[in-house]
Amino acid sequence: MVKPMTAAKKGIFYGIGVGPGDPDLLTVKAAKVLDACDVVITPVKKMGSTSVAFEIVKSHISDLSKVVEMNFPMISLSQEREALEKQWQENADEIEVLLNEGKDVAFITLGDPMVFSTYSYVMEYLLKRNIEIITLSGVPSFCNLGAQLNIPLTQGEESLGVVAMTQPVEEIRAILDAHQNIVVMKISANNAWMAEELEARGLEKSFVLVSNIGMETQQVVRDIDVLKGKIPYLSTLLIKKNYPLQ
């Protein structure tokens, strides 16, 4: 009697948040998965360019030959959505091929995979394809900012708003109006505008800016004039209306 053929077991797709910069902040579970996976995907803005996420985790990967670069261009989502969606789908197709070969694949991303992460878009494509997906949380930059500087992000009945500097000005202003505590991600996209907005609201002494958090090049800024100038790409701003920051 001929036994029925069984479908080959697919691999598991892992999304791994690597934290903001310090390799020691990677979770124990994430480190185990990274070392055990067959393939580790590191997103880059163009092939051959440096990946900050990879620099954070490379000490946790014993076999670096399994690391694969995948192109994720750094272009505006609002202006270039069609081009980005095409790239996300192509990347999801490549990942699916690896998974169908039975390989477990890890996708690394800065901070947490569910906070302004490219991973989340690829994940959505793969969720529709009957693929097992496991997402492992990482430390977001703004949580590490609060911890490093011993500044609570929110207390009691206060609210906390999180906004990206790439959002429309009207949305950013609405967040600034509505919350006592505000985290501004991707602040380098228009930091000079934010500096002027803080001055207009009398909040020029109510912010702290941290760049390259957890790295050797980390900088902490409380000077509004510095915020007006050129700042590193990996920068996060915390605004607290009712808490002494300076």
Side-chain angles (χ1 to χ4, degrees):
M1 181 177 177
V2 179
K3 294 183 179 180
M5 294 182 64
T6 57
K9 180 175 172 55
K10 292 183 179 180
I12 299 172
F13 183 55
Y14 293 90
I16 297 181
V18 304
D22 183 348
D24 289 341
L25 290 180
L26 189 72
T27 67
V28 173
K29 186 170 186 178
K32 289 179 179 177
V33 169
L34 280 172
D35 205 40
C37 271
D38 302 295
V39 179
V40 176
I41 292 174
T42 175
V44 293
K45 58 185 177 183
K46 62 179 180 179
M47 302 305 286
S49 62
T50 302
S51 165
V52 177
F54 173 64
E55 291 300 315
I56 293 171
V57 302
K58 67 180 181 181
S59 62
H60 295 281
I61 304 172
S62 57
D63 179 10
L64 295 178
S65 67
K66 66 182 181 180
V67 178
V68 175
E69 290 184 350
M70 190 164 280
N71 186 33
F72 286 86
M74 299 288 289
I75 55 179
S76 170
L77 177 59
S78 59
Q79 298 176 17
E80 303 286 347
R81 175 172 282 276
E82 185 175 341
L84 283 171
E85 288 181 344
K86 180 176 182 293
Q87 187 67 61
W88 296 335
Q89 179 151 346
E90 289 176 0
N91 291 344
D93 291 343
E94 289 184 34
I95 293 169
E96 186 177 18
V97 169
L98 295 170
L99 295 168
N100 286 339
E101 292 173 354
K103 295 176 180 176
D104 290 334
V105 177
F107 185 111
I108 59 175
T109 185
L110 280 172
D112 184 89
M114 295 303 175
V115 181
F116 295 120
S117 168
T118 301
Y119 160 79
S120 63
Y121 300 108
V122 176
M123 176 196 71
E124 289 174 344
Y125 279 99
L126 294 174
L127 280 172
K128 302 172 184 176
R129 305 183 188 186
N130 193 31
I131 289 167
E132 183 178 358
I133 297 176
I134 298 175
T135 303
L136 304 181
S137 296
V139 178
S141 62
F142 57 89
C143 290
N144 193 225
L145 182 160
Q148 281 206 37
L149 302 182
N150 294 316
I151 299 172
L153 296 179
T154 182
Q155 294 175 302
E157 297 177 353
E158 295 177 343
S159 60
L160 174 67
V162 180
V163 67
M165 200 65 238
T166 51
Q167 291 176 231
V169 166
E170 296 77 15
E171 293 181 9
I172 296 171
R173 284 195 171 122
I175 294 292
L176 291 172
D177 291 340
H179 300 282
Q180 295 94 343
N181 310 287
I182 303 98
V183 169
V184 185
M185 309 287 286
K186 306 180 182 181
I187 179 64
S188 62
N190 200 357
N191 51 285
W193 178 92
M194 179 57 75
E196 293 178 1
E197 187 70 15
L198 291 177
E199 285 184 325
R201 293 169 178 262
L203 297 174
E204 63 272 15
K205 294 185 180 298
S206 300
F207 80 92
V208 61
L209 173 78
V210 181
S211 302
N212 300 328
I213 191 164
M215 305 176 195
E216 293 181 358
T217 54
Q218 176 175 309
Q219 300 174 359
V220 178
V221 171
R222 293 181 169 89
D223 185 338
I224 194 72
D225 289 329
V226 176
L227 183 60
K228 293 176 182 178
K230 184 175 177 58
I231 61 174
Y233 173 72
L234 294 175
S235 297
T236 303
L237 184 76
L238 174 63
I239 303 164
K240 292 186 70 70
K241 295 178 180 176
N242 304 314
Y243 193 89
L245 292 179
Q246 300 188 27

